[in-house]
Amino acid sequence: MEARKKTAREVERHIVARVGDVPEGEHRIFSVAGREIGIFNVRGEYFALRNRCPHLGGPLCEGEVLGLVYSSKPGDVRFDGSKRLITCPWHGWEFDVKTGQSYFNPRLKARRYTVETSVGEASRERQEAVPENPDELEPGPYKAEVLQVKEEGEYLVVAMPKSTAGRERGAS
C-alpha cells in the first residue's frame, strides 16, 4: 500500500487594490479569482476575510464593523474600541476582523428567576457571575476564513489557496 504524502497547499498571489483604495478604518469587498474577499484597514494594518459567514453563508463582509460592547450586569455597558468585530447582516454573528474567530461567553445567559408563593416572606435571587472583563470571552463555534494580505509597494496582495479558487457563489 502506498503511503500518502502531505503536501502544502499551493497559494496564488493576487494584486487586489492600491493601498489608498482602502482608507484607514474602512473596508472594501473585491472579487479575487471568483471569490469575494473583504479587505479591512485597521489602524494601517490590513486583514482579509472571505465574504462568507461560516454560520449560514451570509455576506459577512457586508456587515458593520464595530468595537466590542460588553456588560457585567444590567445597566453597566462598556465599549472596547480596540477590538474590531464584523457583524454578519443575516443573523448578527460577530467575528474578530483580525482572526476570523467568533466569540461568546458560555457563562453569559439570560437571568432566570424562580417563582414561588409564600406568605409574609421575601425571597432573594442568586446573582449569576458574569464577566467584567472582555478578555474572559470564550471562542465561539465558528471561525471566518482569513486570508493573508500584504502591502507590497503601492499594492495590496492577497494569498489564496489555489485549490479552492473559483468556488465562490456565482462563479462557474
Side-chain angles (χ1 to χ4, degrees):
M1 182 173 209
E2 188 173 312
R4 294 181 97 181
K5 287 184 176 179
K6 283 189 172 182
T7 58
R9 291 172 68 178
E10 289 184 51
V11 294
E12 292 181 322
R13 297 175 64 243
H14 301 272
I15 295 174
V16 176
R18 293 183 182 272
V19 170
D21 291 343
V22 185
E24 187 170 321
E26 296 187 21
H27 69 283
R28 301 279 189 269
I29 299 171
F30 298 95
S31 181
V32 181
R35 301 172 83 186
E36 292 182 352
I37 306 295
I39 305 286
F40 299 78
N41 182 342
V42 179
R43 297 184 178 105
E45 234 182 313
Y46 294 95
F47 301 94
L49 294 175
R50 186 174 177 199
N51 188 23
R52 185 176 192 283
C53 179
H55 173 224
L56 288 177
L60 179 62
C61 298
E62 293 177 16
E64 287 189 61
V65 178
L66 305 168
L68 174 66
V69 177
Y70 62 102
S71 174
S72 62
K73 61 185 177 185
D76 175 32
V77 179
R78 298 182 210 170
F79 177 77
D80 180 354
S82 67
K83 296 207 182 285
R84 306 307 297 166
L85 304 175
I86 186 156
T87 304
C88 178
W90 279 11
H91 298 103
W93 279 87
E94 295 174 325
F95 298 88
D96 188 313
V97 168
K98 294 180 180 179
T99 66
Q101 180 66 56
S102 68
Y103 290 99
F104 74 103
N105 185 327
R107 293 173 290 176
L108 190 61
K109 53 189 170 186
R111 188 165 292 163
R112 181 175 61 91
Y113 294 92
T114 302
V115 178
E116 60 186 64
T117 60
S118 62
V119 178
E121 207 174 291
S123 65
R124 296 186 71 177
E125 292 297 322
R126 181 178 154 260
Q127 299 283 324
E128 293 190 30
V130 292
E132 292 187 20
N133 185 340
D135 291 335
E136 295 178 17
L137 295 175
E138 299 290 332
Y142 298 109
K143 188 168 184 179
E145 185 176 348
V146 177
L147 302 167
Q148 182 184 32
V149 60
K150 289 185 175 179
E151 188 177 329
E152 293 184 6
E154 63 180 293
Y155 297 105
L156 298 176
V157 178
V158 171
M160 296 175 48
K162 192 173 186 177
S163 62
T164 59
R167 292 185 188 166
E168 186 71 16
R169 66 183 163 157
S172 56

